[in-house]
Amino acid sequence: MPENAAVTDLAELVEPLSAGAFRALLASRQPLHQPGAGGDRYAALLDWDAFIDLLHRGDVPHRDIRLYRNRVRVPPLFLRDAGPQRGEMIDRLLAADASIMLNRAEEHVAALGRLCAAVAEQSGDHVSAAVVATAGRGGALDRHYDAYDIVVLQVDGAKRWTLYEDPAINPVPGMPKVPARQDAGPATEYVLNPGDWLFVPAGYRHRCDTIGARSLHLGILFHPLTAVRAVELIVQEMLLSTEDRAPLRVKSATSETVEAALKQRLIARIAALSIDDLARRHRTTGIQSTDNPTDG
């Protein structure tokens, strides 16, 4: 990859790992820390100044921004104002050691949009991006896990990631949270410096702490196709059908008649499935219940 050029595809994202080795890592869901060769490797995607600039311009809708201080979310009411007041408030919070998260960053940063689209084609997953900026020590969230695999790209500053034992198995968006085992302790600690990346598999509980004055990292989020996701995509189609939205009047007909008609309709939907079409729609259609980005 040329110096100072933005990462554009899966091979460049996971260097020096090969794309094939990374796909095996996705399948095994084992954490991996990969030290970087250069401190500014990811800065061409988005650096600290460009991120703060983006927030000040007011182009980003308030629904995609989250603010935290002392690992507690700051009420977002003032973010509805996209004028100078938003920028002033963000600056004041950063001066008070806060964290800023940007969800759906691929929709707001062209280089991230291109990268996510390319990686989705190459991996088969739905791929999105998040940005986390933290001023001062600490981080945004307390210990938690995410329902997607994450490649963390450290852009600015240093951050300590602590991954814990007893991961939740195959979590998906919208499912009830799986409580941690009471005796589960820290498994591994990783310190990320600029140019490093870290693979955090879905379900691994983790906590982050900034080392130094500030940190900026990018999260490339991999959402795999699952049976649950397939049902979600089928439901999205059914919502467009007046027949599928019709009430099932069990009291006005025999339950056997209603049951048979319902099964026939659902079986017809499943029988018409094309895995290639399903995979394409998965890659290009938004994921529900994914408004929590990677930890900060």
Side-chain angles (χ1 to χ4, degrees), residues 90-141:
I90 286 173
D91 289 344
R92 286 202 296 273
L93 284 166
L94 285 175
D97 296 347
S99 293
I100 303 177
M101 292 183 174
L102 175 63
N103 291 324
R104 289 176 279 270
E106 74 281 359
E107 297 180 10
H108 310 299
V109 180
L112 287 174
R114 291 190 293 270
L115 173 62
C116 288
V119 173
E121 285 293 332
Q122 294 163 331
S123 68
D125 288 356
H126 179 91
V127 180
S128 59
V131 184
V132 182
T134 298
R137 294 184 178 275
L141 303 176

Side-chain angles (χ1 to χ4, degrees), residues 77-185:
L77 295 177
F78 67 88
L79 290 177
R80 296 180 185 276
D81 180 3
Q85 290 182 350
R86 177 194 283 187
E88 292 168 4
M89 181 61 73
I90 286 173
D91 289 344
R92 286 202 296 273
L93 284 166
L94 285 175
D97 296 347
S99 293
I100 303 177
M101 292 183 174
L102 175 63
N103 291 324
R104 289 176 279 270
E106 74 281 359
E107 297 180 10
H108 310 299
V109 180
L112 287 174
R114 291 190 293 270
L115 173 62
C116 288
V119 173
E121 285 293 332
Q122 294 163 331
S123 68
D125 288 356
H126 179 91
V127 180
S128 59
V131 184
V132 182
T134 298
R137 294 184 178 275
L141 303 176
D142 215 334
R143 180 166 58 169
H144 73 288
Y145 68 84
D146 295 302
Y148 37 76
D149 302 313
I150 310 167
V151 173
V152 180
L153 311 177
Q154 189 68 27
V155 179
D156 193 336
K159 183 158 277 188
R160 178 180 294 103
W161 285 69
T162 304
L163 273 61
Y164 294 83
E165 297 174 350
D166 187 34
I169 305 302
N170 295 333
V172 295
M175 68 176 274
K177 287 294 183 183
V178 178
R181 205 178 65 222
Q182 290 298 316
D183 60 345

Side-chain angles (χ1 to χ4, degrees), residues 185-235:
T188 316
E189 285 192 350
Y190 305 95
V191 174
L192 270 64
N193 293 295
D196 292 4
W197 63 264
L198 173 68
F199 177 63
V200 182
Y204 269 77
R205 294 174 175 86
H206 53 272
R207 175 188 165 107
C208 300
D209 291 281
T210 299
I211 303 171
R214 72 183 192 188
S215 165
L216 177 75
H217 73 256
L218 313 177
I220 307 302
L221 318 180
F222 290 75
H223 309 262
L225 179 61
T226 64
V228 173
R229 171 65 167 164
V231 170
E232 178 188 324
L233 293 169
I234 293 171
V235 169

Side-chain angles (χ1 to χ4, degrees), residues 13-34:
L13 176 68
V14 300
E15 287 179 349
L17 216 62
S18 69
F22 179 73
R23 291 189 188 95
L25 191 65
L26 281 174
S28 69
R29 285 192 159 169
Q30 293 299 312
L32 178 70
H33 174 214
Q34 184 64 59

